[in-house]
């Protein structure tokens, strides 16, 4: 075989090896993509099953709330109740929204007490209070140390000029910010309901302390000032209270998890024992 012929064979062999390497690389890419698709599909399946398990937790909590025997009714204390549901671990808690700080009903003194309790003092507290009240009121008149539309314009934020729709809005308000809001959110609510009073039975100590400071002359939207109700032993007094069921579902020791919230109101009517007020 001539040198030229050997060179042509060498080039052909090199080209064949390169083609095989390219095909192997493409096959590997396809395999990795398939595996990625399988992993993604498995994750989506896990989440779908977790959501279904969390919905099952909601149903269990509703069943527990509606037990006719008061001794068997589930506690409304915000403490997680561990339940095994098939292959899933559920942590189910029930809280009474009337035991939280009603952000849309706080008067000036209560607002000041709230911000003081969560770390703001002096001018910083006054700015937060005035801005909080400005956020809720329906006019564009600014309180002495508050904020209206002009302050928020360059931040791309529009003040609500009405009741807060989520507790997370606190973080947007001048003088409050994410850090203070994060401390307030667990004990605050915008789901207090259209009527009724603050109920201290299932409230945190800080919420009871803040709500004990009443001022009937304060500027409260719609002229409604919360009052502390006397504790009542009968759980049926929770009719018309907004109750939030919180379910966290997990699998394989927490490998995957999801969270579900549903706010309901018990009616006391057998045909329709509860109303759904909202959820996520």
């Amino acid at each position: 075989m001539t040198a030229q012929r050997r060179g042509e064979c060498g080039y052909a062999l090199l080209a064949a090896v390169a083609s095989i390497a390219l095909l192997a690389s493409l096959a590997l890419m396809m395999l990795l993509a398939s595996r990625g698709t399988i992993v993604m599909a498995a994750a989506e399946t896990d989440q779908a099953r977790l959501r279904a398990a969390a919905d099952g937790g909601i149903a269990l909590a509703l069943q527990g709330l509606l037990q006719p025997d008061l001794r068997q009714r589930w506690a409304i204390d915000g403490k997680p109740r561990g339940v095994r549901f098939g292959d899933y671990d559920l942590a189910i808690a029930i809280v009474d929204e009337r035991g939280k700080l009603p952000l849309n009903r706080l008067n000036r003194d209560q607002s000041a007490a709230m911000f003081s309790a969560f770390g703001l003092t002096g001018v910083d507290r006054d700015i937060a209070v005035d801005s909080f009240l400005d956020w809720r009121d329906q006019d564009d008149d600014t309180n002495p140390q508050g904020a209206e539309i002009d302050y928020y314009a360059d931040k791309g934020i529009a003040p609500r000029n009405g009741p807060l729709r989520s507790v997370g809005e606190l973080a947007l308000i001048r003088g409050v910010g994410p850090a203070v809001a994060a401390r307030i959110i667990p004990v605050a609510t915008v789901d207090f309901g259209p009527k009724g009073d603050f109920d201290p039975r299932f409230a945190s100590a800080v919420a009871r302390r803040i709500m004990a400071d009443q001022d009937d002359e304060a500027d409260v939207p719609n002229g409604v000032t919360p009052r502390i109700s006397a504790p009542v032993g009968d759980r049926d007094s929770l009719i018309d209270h907004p109750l939030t069921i919180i379910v966290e579902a997990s699998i394989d020791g927490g490998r995957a998890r999801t969270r579900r919230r549903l706010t309901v109101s018990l009616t006391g009517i057998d045909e329709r024992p509860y109303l759904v007020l909202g959820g996520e």
Side-chain angles (χ1 to χ4, degrees):
M1 181 180 296
T2 65
Q4 181 179 358
R5 181 62 177 167
R6 285 197 300 271
E8 290 175 354
C9 290
Y11 286 130
L13 178 61
L14 183 60
V17 169
S19 298
I20 292 170
L22 178 60
L23 290 172
S25 177
L26 290 173
L28 179 60
M29 290 173 62
M30 292 177 65
L31 177 61
L32 291 174
S34 297
R35 286 181 178 175
T37 301
I38 292 170
V39 169
M40 289 177 62
E44 290 176 0
T45 300
D46 276 348
Q47 283 301 310
R49 290 175 175 170
L50 283 166
R51 286 193 293 270
D55 286 340
I58 295 286
L60 288 173
L62 287 169
Q63 184 181 36
L65 281 171
L66 297 170
Q67 285 293 326
D69 186 342
L70 296 181
R71 294 170 299 180
Q72 296 182 14
R73 286 194 186 178
W74 282 25
I76 305 170
D77 55 9
K79 296 178 181 178
R81 173 190 291 257
V83 176
R84 186 70 177 173
F85 188 78
D87 295 330
Y88 302 90
D89 292 310
L90 306 180
I92 308 171
I94 307 173
V95 296
D96 182 5
E97 296 296 319
R98 295 268 174 84
K100 295 182 179 181
L101 299 173
L103 293 179
N104 291 321
R105 296 187 175 201
L106 296 179
N107 60 40
R108 177 176 290 276
D109 287 349
Q110 292 162 346
S111 300
M114 176 179 71
F115 289 120
S116 293
F118 290 96
L120 296 180
T121 59
V123 174
D124 290 339
R125 180 194 62 194
D126 295 341
I127 290 173
V129 171
D130 279 0
S131 300
F132 175 64
L133 297 175
D134 281 337
W135 186 275
R136 293 186 324 183
D137 66 30
Q138 297 181 2
D139 59 53
D140 292 322
D141 299 328
T142 308
N143 278 301
Q145 299 193 67
E148 286 285 359
I149 191 168
D150 292 342
Y151 173 83
Y152 297 103
D154 62 350
K155 299 173 176 57
I157 298 171
R160 179 65 64 191
N161 279 358
L164 280 73
R165 296 181 186 173
S166 74
V167 291
E169 283 182 36
L170 280 172
L172 304 177
I173 297 174
R174 181 191 181 197
V176 182
V180 174
R183 295 197 291 272
I184 296 174
I185 284 171
V187 297
T189 184
V190 296
D191 295 317
F192 196 77
K195 59 183 180 179
D197 300 326
F198 174 76
D199 191 332
R201 288 176 296 170
F202 311 116
S204 65
V206 67
R208 290 196 299 268
R209 187 167 66 250
I210 291 167
M211 294 303 295
D213 184 11
Q214 302 291 322
D215 179 3
D216 291 339
E217 302 301 321
D219 49 345
V220 182
N222 302 320
V224 177
T225 301
R227 299 181 302 278
I228 295 183
S229 305
V232 183
D234 184 359
R235 290 279 180 84
D236 286 339
S237 64
L238 289 170
I239 288 174
D240 291 333
H241 277 224
L243 305 174
T244 297
I245 302 168
I246 305 164
V247 180
E248 185 172 279
S250 61
I251 189 172
D252 295 343
R255 173 179 60 82
R257 63 181 64 243
T258 195
R259 188 178 174 88
R260 180 94 155 81
R261 293 173 61 95
L262 189 74
T263 301
V264 301
S265 177
L266 304 184
T267 66
I269 302 171
D270 291 340
E271 293 77 15
R272 192 176 186 184
Y274 64 90
L275 299 174
V276 174
L277 303 179
E280 59 185 40

